[in-house]
Amino acid sequence: MATNLKIDLDLLNEAKRIGRFRTKKEAVNQALTEFVQHRRQMEILDWEGKVDFFDDYDSKSLRNIR
C-alpha cells in the first residue's frame, strides 16, 4: 500500500545510518516493528499487582504429568 507521509528527513537519515539500512522503507518498517514491540512490553507493566505468583511452583515437575 503506497502512503504519502511527511517524515523528518534528518531523523530518517539518522535511523538509516544507525541501523545500517539500505532503504528508507527498511528503516521505517524496523522503527514501526520496534515501536509496536515496545508498546506491547509496556502493557505487561499493567499486570503489576494483578498476578499471583507461587514460590513453590515447579514447572519441571509438571512436564511429567500427561
Side-chain angles (χ1 to χ4, degrees), residues 43-64:
E43 288 176 357
I44 293 172
L45 296 177
D46 293 338
W47 296 359
E48 185 177 6
K50 298 177 185 173
V51 177
D52 294 327
F53 293 95
F54 300 96
D55 293 333
D56 62 343
Y57 180 76
D58 183 12
S59 62
K60 289 183 180 180
S61 69
L62 295 175
R63 292 180 190 166
N64 298 327

Side-chain angles (χ1 to χ4, degrees), residues 24-34:
K24 294 175 187 177
K25 180 179 178 179
E26 287 177 354
V28 170
N29 283 333
Q30 183 62 37
L32 288 171
T33 299
E34 290 180 18

Side-chain angles (χ1 to χ4, degrees), residues 12 15-17 20-29:
L12 182 56
K16 279 180 58 183
R17 182 183 58 78
R20 297 183 180 167
F21 299 111
R22 293 179 304 136
T23 66
K24 294 175 187 177
K25 180 179 178 179
E26 287 177 354
V28 170
N29 283 333

